[in-house]
Amino acid sequence: MFGDYLDGDIGNGDGIASLAEYVSSHAEPPPPTVPERSPEGRRKYRTVWISDVHLGTKGCNAQLLIDFLDSVDSETMYLVGDIIDGWRLKKKFYWPPEHNDIVWRILKRARRGTRIVYIPGNHDEMLRPFSGMSFGGIEIQRAAFHETADGRRLMVLHGDEFDAIMLSHRWLAFVGDAAYHLSMTLSHVVNVVRRRLGLPYWSLSKMAKHKVKNAVEFIGKYEEVVARAAAERGVDGVVCGHIHTAEHRMFGDTEYWNDGDWVEGCNALAEHADGRMEILNWPEEVAKRQVPVTSTAEAA
Ligand SMILES: [Mn+2]
């Protein structure tokens, strides 16, 4: 059925068809175009959470995610929603080979024995009816409860469940720093024109500043709403995605974790063997690794 979705709903790319065949038949998967690095020597975590990959869109940072998957292993991996962007795929079919390579790596991981739990988000909600089922070794669930090595109970969900509460502020989440700087430039242009027309000064940046402040408030409010829902369920904390903002905060005794996204931040959340958790910033990890090489190359 996962195969039907891949094959029928979103197009007939050869790679997707053969992946779908692999999922349903347990045959050898078609080889990835970017060869997988050996699993030996990978950083090993107890648990890894990723979300908001948005496969099927140009926004997906596939190269970095492939590098992440080839560098890190875990006993359990949670895919916390918006992994495949069905919304966008329905409008325009976009599926480069690297996106297949990511699906290939995830399926391969399941075969090697990693427990993989896929919690569909709003962009891959077409997989939600399959909750409770398992495809290619990947469990599909509406939400999950994770127990850390030190015994904390965490609720794992995508997080769009809270959009109804946040609806009036939702669009503000997309207002960012770049928009603020652009609006300052625009403000300047607008006021040059207004001055020539003899009109008084009008502050667009003041308005933009207000919007950015609202966006920051939106994120803060969202985090609080999600943490409160977790507290009401009597768990120690919550792991979610959805708002593309990796974060760890405490609301009273309740832990709030957001594993970020692979469109802008390229973050993952990881649990060590002792239950300690941390947010991984993959562009930073790659930069650290490349510093000695690039600095000498650039100096030469
Ligand atoms: Mn989402």
Side-chain angles (χ1 to χ4, degrees), residues 178-189 204-206 208-209:
Y180 173 64
H181 286 289
L182 175 70
S183 67
M184 289 217 292
T185 313
L186 273 174
S187 175
H188 174 73
V189 174
L204 183 73
S205 70
K206 201 171 161 188
K209 238 184 218 163

Side-chain angles (χ1 to χ4, degrees), residues 78 117-120 131 140-145 155-158 161 233:
Y78 288 97
V117 180
Y118 186 167
I119 297 163
S131 297
I140 299 181
Q141 291 184 24
R142 191 60 188 79
F145 289 95
M155 184 166 82
V156 187
L157 39 75
H158 178 63
E161 294 85 350
R233 253 159 249 202

Side-chain angles (χ1 to χ4, degrees), residues 136-276:
I138 297 170
E139 299 165 37
I140 299 181
Q141 291 184 24
R142 191 60 188 79
F145 289 95
H146 175 79
E147 190 170 336
T148 61
D150 52 358
R152 285 136 54 224
R153 262 173 67 79
L154 305 175
M155 184 166 82
V156 187
L157 39 75
H158 178 63
D160 62 296
E161 294 85 350
F162 303 98
D163 279 357
I165 307 165
M166 307 292 298
L167 205 60
S168 57
H169 304 279
R170 195 182 173 187
W171 69 274
L172 291 171
F174 303 101
V175 181
D177 221 31
Y180 173 64
H181 286 289
L182 175 70
S183 67
M184 289 217 292
T185 313
L186 273 174
S187 175
H188 174 73
V189 174
V190 164
N191 279 299
V192 166
V193 175
R194 283 177 73 92
R195 200 156 52 228
R196 276 189 201 155
L197 295 172
L199 293 166
Y201 180 80
W202 175 74
S203 177
L204 183 73
S205 70
K206 201 171 161 188
M207 192 186 84
K209 238 184 218 163
H210 177 71
K211 296 294 179 207
V212 172
K213 195 170 148 268
N214 278 347
V216 172
E217 276 171 9
F218 165 87
I219 292 168
K221 183 82 188 153
Y222 176 89
E223 293 169 344
E224 195 187 327
V225 165
V226 176
R228 199 188 304 143
E232 278 165 12
R233 253 159 249 202
V235 290
D236 298 304
V238 60
V239 177
C240 66
H242 187 51
I243 57 166
H244 294 204
T245 309
E247 186 63 274
H248 173 221
R249 287 181 69 184
M250 293 299 294
F251 290 88
D253 293 332
T254 310
E255 300 172 53
Y256 169 91
W257 292 94
N258 193 304
D259 67 2
D261 68 288
W262 287 85
V263 175
E264 286 161 86
C266 301
N267 299 107
L269 177 62
E271 183 200 355
H272 294 264
D274 58 0
R276 190 165 48 87

Side-chain angles (χ1 to χ4, degrees), residues 37 42 45 48-50 62-73 77 109 262 266-270 280 282 286 289:
R37 288 204 302 265
R42 282 185 193 171
Y45 292 103
V48 160
W49 291 263
I50 59 167
Q63 300 278 325
L64 271 174
L65 182 54
I66 286 171
D67 184 83
F68 171 78
L69 292 170
D70 282 0
S71 310
V72 166
D73 248 326
M77 182 182 213
R109 214 163 253 256
W262 287 85
C266 301
N267 299 107
L269 177 62
L280 304 175
W282 210 249
V286 170
R289 193 199 301 157

Side-chain angles (χ1 to χ4, degrees), residues 52 82 122-123 158 160 242:
D52 301 271
D82 289 0
N122 48 320
H123 286 263
H158 178 63
D160 62 296
H242 187 51

Side-chain angles (χ1 to χ4, degrees), residues 52-119:
D52 301 271
V53 174
H54 292 274
L55 292 174
T57 72
K58 289 201 171 81
C60 168
N61 215 316
Q63 300 278 325
L64 271 174
L65 182 54
I66 286 171
D67 184 83
F68 171 78
L69 292 170
D70 282 0
S71 310
V72 166
D73 248 326
S74 61
E75 288 163 35
T76 303
M77 182 182 213
Y78 288 97
L79 304 171
V80 196
D82 289 0
I83 304 300
I84 299 170
D85 198 324
W87 288 6
R88 292 290 287 277
L89 280 169
K90 267 185 188 162
K91 286 188 194 131
K92 187 177 190 279
F93 187 77
Y94 175 79
W95 197 269
E98 294 79 29
H99 291 199
N100 251 7
D101 290 358
I102 288 165
V103 178
W104 185 92
R105 279 166 169 80
I106 291 168
L107 292 169
K108 188 81 179 176
R109 214 163 253 256
R111 277 192 138 201
R112 286 199 187 107
T114 301
R115 181 183 173 223
I116 299 185
V117 180
Y118 186 167
I119 297 163

